[in-house]
Amino acid sequence: TMPLFLQIIVDDDDSKVWSLYDAGPRSIRCPLIFLPPVSGTADVFFQQILALTGWGYRVIALQYPVYWDHLEFCDGFRKLLDHLQLDKVHLFGASLGGFLAQKFAEYTHKSPRVQSLILCNSFSDTSIFNQTWTANSFWLMPAFMLKKIVLGNFASGPLDPEMADGIDFMVDRLESLGQSELASRLTLNCQNSYVEPHKIRDIPVTIMDVFDQSALSTEAKEEMYKLYPNARRAHLKTGGNFPYLCRSAEVNLYIQIHLLQFHGTRYAAIDPSMVSAEELEVQKISLHTSNEQEEQ
């Protein structure tokens, strides 16, 4: 099935529009939802949409309306899931998207809506950006200044072609965002807040991060490992800030490995008729051997 592009309003304020791609079998009731970083639009996950739906998964990639605080975001996202008639979902969050995914899991912990989390280059405490003092003034800044702030976190220096293409693509997406979209996302990214892990400790988590240059400090990564001691770890040797663009094959494989634990349950994100244990076995072996080769 072709990805459906939808624009949905769930709040009373009709300027708050969720834009999303819904792809793969609609019969799946627990899809994987992708939440982008500050600069991201729904289409930054096109490589995941193409590959995962080809394997029989249902995936939804979205971009946020203009929300100025985490509670407002969580409330809107809950209404969006209600509108889509999705009781529980798996969330893949990149950077800010990962922070919002954790906040949403925390927000819904009494009647859980999040079945599992994949946190890519993400963080659990906004104070790591040392921007909490400016968070209140982003709304005043012109778009070009906001874009400069975001671009300041993109990698510089020599890059391989895939990474250079990935950054070009993100710069292009960044250009498509208006002042209020950017200002609101930077505000969410930097306003003082942290995740309370005891509320989400029972949710299966995969932490995905890169070993080369990214906007995340080593301290921020260590903090995530401490917060989720039982999390699976998916380390990519390289991939920078946007591994889902420039290392998509590895990222997609790690997503499959994460979702494998739900196959055969009501929380499967894949069409049961598409599950071939052999295929997955072969993929796990191939990943294992390619990793060993890299390490030698």
Side-chain angles (χ1 to χ4, degrees):
T1 45
M2 281 300 292
L4 275 181
F5 181 68
L6 306 168
Q7 294 196 298
I8 298 172
I9 295 166
V10 293
D11 293 286
D12 300 335
D13 172 356
D14 59 11
S15 70
K16 292 194 183 307
V17 183
W18 293 83
S19 304
L20 52 109
Y21 294 96
D22 186 350
R26 302 286 178 279
S27 55
I28 298 301
R29 305 307 312 145
C30 191
L32 175 63
I33 300 187
F34 287 89
L35 305 179
V38 168
S39 50
T41 50
D43 43 11
V44 302
F45 298 113
F46 73 94
Q47 310 253 34
Q48 284 65 51
I49 296 172
L50 290 172
L52 291 164
T53 53
W55 292 318
Y57 288 91
R58 180 180 179 187
V59 295
I60 294 173
L62 53 79
Q63 66 202 63
Y64 327 112
V66 173
Y67 288 125
W68 296 96
D69 69 64
H70 302 119
L71 198 63
E72 190 190 20
F73 165 84
C74 288
D75 192 48
F77 190 40
R78 185 179 50 79
K79 288 181 191 151
L80 177 72
L81 295 184
D82 291 346
H83 177 91
L84 296 169
Q85 299 179 324
L86 299 173
D87 179 36
K88 293 202 74 178
V89 292
H90 305 280
L91 297 179
F92 178 111
S95 189
L96 168 64
F99 181 72
L100 293 174
Q102 295 168 82
K103 290 304 281 182
F104 183 70
E106 179 189 294
Y107 170 82
T108 56
H109 78 108
K110 287 204 170 95
S111 56
R113 304 297 294 267
V114 179
Q115 183 60 31
S116 77
L117 290 167
I118 304 173
L119 305 172
C120 175
N121 280 348
S122 197
F123 52 91
S124 57
D125 187 341
T126 57
S127 65
I128 58 164
F129 298 109
N130 299 325
Q131 292 266 1
T132 45
W133 55 276
T134 47
N136 300 331
S137 54
F138 288 130
W139 66 279
L140 288 166
M141 296 182 188
F144 80 90
M145 272 180 77
L146 297 168
K147 285 174 185 168
K148 261 176 84 166
I149 292 171
V150 176
L151 288 169
N153 286 318
F154 285 17
S156 50
L159 296 167
D160 67 46
E162 286 92 4
M163 286 174 76
D165 286 350
I167 288 179
D168 286 348
F169 186 78
M170 291 303 280
V171 170
D172 187 56
R173 303 318 323 142
L174 181 62
E175 283 304 317
S176 73
L177 295 173
Q179 191 275 346
S180 57
E181 288 175 298
L182 265 176
S184 62
R185 292 180 192 190
L186 279 166
T187 303
L188 292 177
N189 200 74
C190 299
Q191 84 188 167
N192 210 354
S193 180
Y194 57 87
V195 175
E196 300 175 56
H198 61 276
K199 291 188 175 165
I200 51 181
R201 89 161 46 108
D202 300 329
I203 297 177
V205 175
T206 292
I207 294 174
M208 185 182 293
D209 51 23
V210 298
F211 284 152
D212 60 351
Q213 189 189 21
S214 80
L216 267 200
S217 66
T218 315
E219 299 80 61
K221 286 186 199 177
E222 293 300 328
E223 191 53 39
M224 289 291 282
Y225 304 149
K226 276 212 288 273
L227 216 58
Y228 301 106
N230 304 323
R232 300 170 175 216
R233 298 196 193 172
H235 298 306
L236 291 95
K237 221 172 191 171
T238 57
N241 285 318
F242 316 118
Y244 36 91
L245 282 169
C246 62
R247 297 291 181 267
S248 62
E250 283 180 76
V251 167
N252 294 344
L253 194 55
Y254 278 132
I255 291 172
Q256 277 182 289
I257 291 168
H258 172 89
L259 291 172
L260 194 57
Q261 58 190 306
F262 305 102
H263 285 11
T265 74
R266 49 187 285 236
Y267 303 117
I270 193 171
D271 176 352
S273 67
M274 299 282 286
V275 176
S276 151
E278 281 155 11
E279 245 172 43
L280 284 161
E281 222 25 65
V282 169
Q283 276 161 352
K284 281 204 300 211
I285 292 162
S286 69
L287 177 76
H288 190 65
T289 48
S290 69
N291 277 353
E292 280 180 341
Q293 283 158 3
E294 274 188 82
E295 281 157 15
Q296 281 160 10

